[in-house]
Amino acid sequence: MDNILLIFQGMFRKDEELTPSQRGLAVRRMPSLLEYVSYTCNFMGILAGPLCSYKDYIAFIEGRASHVAQPSENGKDEQHGKADPSPNAAVTEKLLVCGLSLLFHLTISNMLPVEYNIDEHFQATASWPTKATYLYVSLLAARPKYYFAWTLADAINNAAGFGFRGYDKNGVARWDLISNLRIQQIEMSTSFKMFLDNWNIQTALWLKRVCYERATFSPTIQTFFLSAIWHGVYPGYYLTFLTGVLMTLAARAVRNNFRHYFLEPPQLKLFYDLITWAATQITISYTVVPFVLLSIKPSFTFYSSWYYCLHVCSILVLLLLPVKKSQRRTNTQENVHLSQAKKFDERENSLGQNSFSTMNNVCNQNRDTGSRHSPLTQ
């Protein structure tokens, strides 16, 4: 109860006004009302984000963001001696990407509408290679609007000094702490997971923390369903994420069962990467068509024109290929046991140190000496 009272006192009092025992709870205390409102109503991300953690935000507000430790060649963390880095180069580069994305969206996107995939004449006359090619190109043309919005939001934060993530091994400042996408990795993805890991990055990290790592069963299904709820109420969102569950699980099964056969020699690995790149791009495009169309009828019209072929293939893969058991839950249980053991050891060490200190004080008083015993060190 005392800890709870201290936490609530900390919400409305500055750290300088707290007692030493209250400062000990500073890491665990709730943010103050001003900090909470500042983080929630952060004007830099009010339009398009990107989502950022409270820890990173408060470090930026308090001016601690640029004083980060950089790993050196010997593996130790060393404080970088440079002055606060300038974001000018990063902002200029991202604004250039915004301009190109906007230009691409206003020109090419209008020439290659996604809706043409469900055009009756196109469905009746186009061959399968033509359908697959147009599907990929039309969804490729639909992505620059997301590139524009997220990159502009990232540039706005960088211009204010937020987003610095230390220096690379060459001493170059990195401004991708809250970046929401990596365009090159998206377009060159050779797996479903690689695409998802580089698309809407901050939201994906949030979903991983609040859902995937806490789910006791079917974490992939629960995470995709939560993502659909987070996006909104359009039926196309739910159809996309339900399809995404099938595609993710099937892609994982194929990768686990076949990838190790294609790692050597390099020519075979290159062939494997080309095949998986083409398969990933078509699968991603097939999956997200309802996300763009939004309505349920045109979405089913599109999938019907493809005879639900990728849905059927994914189900067959899951039924026929052996699925390796995930080590996530086992690792989680092991981490819990290790954490409990660590806490127990720390408590025992703390009790031992306190007992030793008390014993020393009694001995010192009895002997009436001026010497002091040094505390135990681990």
Side-chain angles (χ1 to χ4, degrees):
M1 180 62 69
D2 293 338
N3 289 347
I4 296 177
L5 292 176
L6 291 175
I7 290 173
F8 277 98
Q9 290 175 6
M11 291 181 62
F12 302 98
R13 297 173 61 181
K14 296 181 179 179
D15 288 342
E16 297 80 13
E17 300 174 352
L18 299 178
T19 64
S21 61
Q22 291 173 333
R23 291 195 195 101
L25 295 172
V27 176
R28 292 174 292 171
R29 73 173 177 83
M30 295 174 63
S32 68
L33 181 60
L34 177 60
E35 291 169 342
Y36 173 77
V37 174
S38 174
Y39 174 68
T40 306
C41 301
N42 171 25
F43 71 93
M44 295 182 295
I46 201 68
L47 294 179
L51 175 71
C52 65
S53 70
Y54 173 78
K55 180 184 69 174
D56 293 332
Y57 174 78
I58 204 66
F60 161 68
I61 292 297
E62 294 178 351
R64 295 183 282 108
S66 60
H67 300 85
V68 295
Q70 180 188 11
S72 61
E73 294 181 357
N74 57 10
K76 296 181 180 180
D77 290 340
E78 297 180 355
Q79 196 74 18
H80 208 283
K82 293 186 177 182
D84 291 353
S86 171
N88 292 342
V91 172
T92 302
E93 179 183 351
K94 291 175 182 180
L95 289 178
L96 179 61
V97 173
C98 288
L100 294 176
S101 299
L102 183 61
L103 179 64
F104 192 93
H105 173 66
L106 295 177
T107 56
I108 307 300
S109 298
N110 293 331
M111 299 169 55
L112 301 167
V114 177
E115 291 77 10
Y116 191 65
N117 284 284
I118 59 174
D119 182 79
E120 294 182 358
H121 178 72
F122 176 74
Q123 292 180 359
T125 59
S127 62
W128 275 104
T130 302
K131 288 183 178 180
T133 302
Y134 186 82
L135 174 66
Y136 165 67
V137 173
S138 62
L139 269 298
L140 174 65
R143 288 199 281 267
K145 64 180 179 182
Y146 300 100
Y147 295 167
F148 167 76
W150 284 335
T151 305
L152 179 61
D154 193 16
I156 290 172
N157 282 271
N158 291 167
F162 187 28
F164 176 64
R165 195 162 69 95
Y167 298 89
D168 61 17
K169 61 182 180 181
N170 298 320
V172 179
R174 303 170 64 182
W175 288 90
D176 57 349
L177 178 67
I178 56 173
S179 295
N180 227 6
L181 76 165
R182 304 183 187 97
I183 298 177
Q184 182 178 356
Q185 286 84 340
I186 288 173
E187 301 302 340
M188 301 302 294
S189 295
T190 57
S191 69
F192 211 89
K193 181 182 184 301
M194 183 178 177
F195 187 98
L196 296 179
D197 286 345
N198 293 285
W199 176 271
N200 205 354
I201 298 171
Q202 303 305 322
T203 301
L205 292 175
W206 173 77
L207 289 169
K208 180 181 179 181
R209 289 193 298 266
V210 304
C211 184
Y212 188 86
E213 293 180 345
R214 301 182 182 185
T216 56
F217 66 95
S218 303
T220 301
I221 297 176
Q222 293 190 45
T223 304
F224 271 89
F225 185 69
L226 175 60
S227 182
I229 296 175
W230 180 85
H231 276 84
V233 297
Y234 285 106
Y237 295 157
Y238 293 85
L239 196 54
T240 287
F241 287 108
L242 288 176
T243 303
V245 171
L246 278 178
M247 301 303 165
T248 300
L249 296 177
R252 184 184 302 166
V254 171
R255 183 180 179 87
N256 290 338
N257 283 277
F258 295 106
R259 184 175 183 271
H260 55 278
Y261 293 116
F262 296 89
L263 297 180
E264 295 292 343
Q267 295 81 0
L268 188 61
K269 177 63 166 58
L270 177 61
F271 173 76
Y272 175 82
D273 288 341
L274 290 174
I275 295 298
T276 53
W277 172 82
T280 298
Q281 298 302 325
I282 294 298
T283 302
I284 288 289
S285 301
Y286 176 91
T287 301
V288 302
V289 165
F291 192 95
V292 179
L293 299 179
L294 297 177
S295 301
I296 196 72
K297 184 177 179 180
S299 299
F300 278 120
T301 300
F302 168 74
Y303 282 147
S304 298
S305 68
W306 278 66
Y307 302 103
Y308 298 90
C309 60
L310 295 188
H311 287 85
V312 174
C313 290
S314 298
I315 294 174
L316 290 177
V317 165
L318 294 175
L319 292 176
L320 299 177
L321 292 182
V323 179
K324 296 182 180 180
K325 292 184 178 180
S326 174
Q327 297 296 323
R328 186 186 65 87
R329 187 171 182 179
T330 302
N331 293 337
T332 301
Q333 292 175 348
E334 291 177 354
N335 291 336
V336 170
H337 292 318
L338 290 173
S339 178
Q340 292 175 348
K342 183 178 179 181
K343 289 181 180 179
F344 179 79
D345 291 340
E346 290 176 350
R347 184 174 61 183
E348 291 296 318
N349 292 336
S350 177
L351 290 174
Q353 290 176 357
N354 292 337
S355 300
F356 186 82
S357 177
T358 303
M359 185 181 298
N360 285 341
N361 291 335
V362 173
C363 293
N364 289 338
Q365 291 176 0
N366 293 337
R367 295 176 182 176
D368 194 24
T369 61
S371 62
R372 302 256 179 163
H373 290 280
S374 61
L376 286 175
T377 57
Q378 296 296 327

